[in-house]
Amino acid sequence: QVQLVESGGGLVQPGGSLRLSCAASGSIFSINDMGWYRQAPGKERELVATISSGGSANYVDSVKDRFTVSIDSAKKTVYLQMNSLKPEDTAVYYCNADLRPFYWSSIFRYWGQGTQVTVSS
């Protein structure tokens, strides 16, 4: 069984910063990549950032130059440093991981439970 546990969400004023963490645990043979999605009320879930186990990162245009995704492969943990936060960043942020539970298995996508980020004065 694989679990992704997120932490670090909360309430922050516009212009502030937050750092999200997501730790993967359980039966994990290898991780291909990890990332973050978000879903605002009434909107579809959207990709925020992804990073490969080798450190290659991609971002949605709206967060480039403000957010930084990083990965600690040894700890099976992905981070999202969010700076210069805006009210439109308010959403539930979900962590995901594409990984092989066993050496013989296919790659599966797993999701965390989500953490609320609210940007408001």
Side-chain angles (χ1 to χ4, degrees), residues 59-78:
Y59 300 90
V60 67
D61 287 346
S62 60
V63 308
K64 283 181 180 177
D65 301 324
R66 298 191 298 122
F67 291 9
T68 301
V69 64
S70 59
I71 190 168
D72 184 332
S73 295
K75 294 182 178 180
K76 300 183 179 66
T77 299
V78 64

Side-chain angles (χ1 to χ4, degrees), residues 69-118:
V69 64
S70 59
I71 190 168
D72 184 332
S73 295
K75 294 182 178 180
K76 300 183 179 66
T77 299
V78 64
Y79 306 94
L80 185 67
Q81 178 67 44
M82 305 185 292
N83 299 328
S84 303
L85 282 160
K86 304 176 181 180
E88 51 264 43
D89 294 317
T90 296
V92 177
Y93 283 70
Y94 297 91
C95 162
N96 82 286
D98 294 332
L99 59 86
R100 295 181 190 272
F102 308 98
Y103 74 92
W104 45 260
S105 65
S106 300
I107 296 171
F108 294 96
R109 171 161 291 187
Y110 295 85
W111 292 92
Q113 80 284 358
T115 185
Q116 177 70 46
V117 172
T118 302

Side-chain angles (χ1 to χ4, degrees), residues 4-86:
L4 300 181
V5 179
E6 299 130 334
S7 60
L11 172 65
V12 64
Q13 292 187 342
S17 297
L18 281 176
R19 188 189 193 212
L20 305 182
S21 300
C22 172
S25 63
S27 178
I28 299 172
F29 174 73
S30 65
I31 295 176
N32 272 33
D33 50 68
M34 299 182 78
W36 295 92
Y37 286 69
R38 67 186 179 187
Q39 188 166 19
K43 295 188 176 181
E44 294 187 353
R45 188 175 296 189
E46 68 168 350
L47 172 68
V48 177
T50 62
I51 187 166
S52 69
S53 59
S56 178
N58 290 287
Y59 300 90
V60 67
D61 287 346
S62 60
V63 308
K64 283 181 180 177
D65 301 324
R66 298 191 298 122
F67 291 9
T68 301
V69 64
S70 59
I71 190 168
D72 184 332
S73 295
K75 294 182 178 180
K76 300 183 179 66
T77 299
V78 64
Y79 306 94
L80 185 67
Q81 178 67 44
M82 305 185 292
N83 299 328
S84 303
L85 282 160
K86 304 176 181 180

